[in-house]
Amino acid sequence: MTSLRSAVATSLPPIRAAISRMKQDMMRRELENCHLLAGIWCHGLTVRQLQALRGALPPAAKLVMAKNTLLEKAIAGTRWESLRPCAKGMNAWLFVHSDEIPPALKPCRDFQRDFKLALNDFTGAVFEGRLYGPDNFLALETMPTRMESYAYLLGCLQTPAVSLLSILQAPEGDADQAAEGAAATSEK
């Protein structure tokens, strides 16, 4: 019996090390195409609440429960390393795999408000190489989505073209008056 116990005891450390390496590799794979990595303090959350939060996230976002040391090892030497000070306490890690950041953060805020979990806030995030602390999350939550940015850019590009077309399509007398009005405005 003693030999069986000693055999099991000596084989467990290599197994634990292999599991730890496997988890680190999984975290590194999550980081490969990640646009944002955020920590969420999850002290006191139940499994059912975490499952509800995971279900509310968009498909491009993934919530992972992992030990802080595992995350620290996975982010070592990467652009995410500035998140290391936020890896304290009980955290869940939000990996966002698209550049649509506000839609990925909104379910977390809604969850926080619906369950009245004021203490379960973001601990920090890294986006485009910059560390955002808990106080700076408003900048991430209110930034425009890609479609909103495209619509704004298109509007900026379209306005001068529409003005030019309206001048070109105006009857000859109206065009002269519009041109004179535009010249008088530019002289002032």
Side-chain angles (χ1 to χ4, degrees):
M1 187 70 161
T2 307
S3 64
L4 180 60
R5 282 187 193 158
S6 64
V8 169
T10 58
S11 67
L12 284 180
I15 292 172
R16 287 186 181 132
I19 291 171
S20 178
R21 279 193 305 274
M22 183 183 70
K23 288 180 180 179
Q24 284 178 29
D25 290 342
M26 187 268 309
M27 294 288 273
R28 286 189 182 114
R29 279 193 303 274
E30 288 294 329
L31 289 170
E32 282 178 6
N33 298 323
C34 194
H35 290 263
L36 174 118
L37 175 59
I40 302 171
W41 196 62
C42 62
H43 181 72
L45 294 182
T46 64
V47 172
R48 184 166 290 173
Q49 289 173 327
L50 285 171
Q51 288 173 342
L53 178 57
R54 282 185 177 129
L57 292 173
K62 186 174 182 180
L63 188 68
V64 175
M65 292 295 298
K67 291 185 175 185
N68 292 330
T69 54
L70 179 66
L71 180 86
E72 287 175 349
K73 290 177 183 177
I75 64 175
T78 66
R79 63 184 172 139
W80 309 102
E81 196 164 14
S82 59
L83 194 61
R84 185 179 297 263
C86 301
K88 296 197 182 348
M90 295 185 68
N91 290 309
W93 301 100
L94 180 66
F95 295 86
V96 180
H97 295 283
S98 77
D99 54 359
E100 301 292 325
I101 304 303
L105 296 178
K106 186 177 182 331
C108 297
R109 283 292 185 213
D110 293 344
F111 174 80
Q112 183 184 12
R113 185 184 62 245
D114 293 344
F115 285 98
K116 297 175 179 71
L117 301 168
L119 296 177
N120 293 68
D121 200 4
F122 290 101
T123 58
V126 174
F127 177 64
E128 293 182 349
R130 181 174 171 226
L131 176 66
Y132 289 83
D135 301 333
N136 303 339
F137 260 82
L138 188 60
L140 288 173
E141 292 170 324
T142 58
M143 67 186 279
T145 63
R146 183 181 345 154
M147 293 308 290
E148 292 170 344
S149 298
Y150 287 165
Y152 178 76
L153 180 63
L154 184 62
C156 289
L157 294 173
Q158 185 179 8
T159 302
V162 168
S163 298
L164 178 66
L165 281 175
S166 65
I167 289 173
L168 293 175
Q169 290 179 348
E172 193 172 311
D174 290 343
D176 291 338
Q177 289 175 354
E180 289 173 6
T185 326
S186 65
E187 289 176 4
K188 290 182 182 179

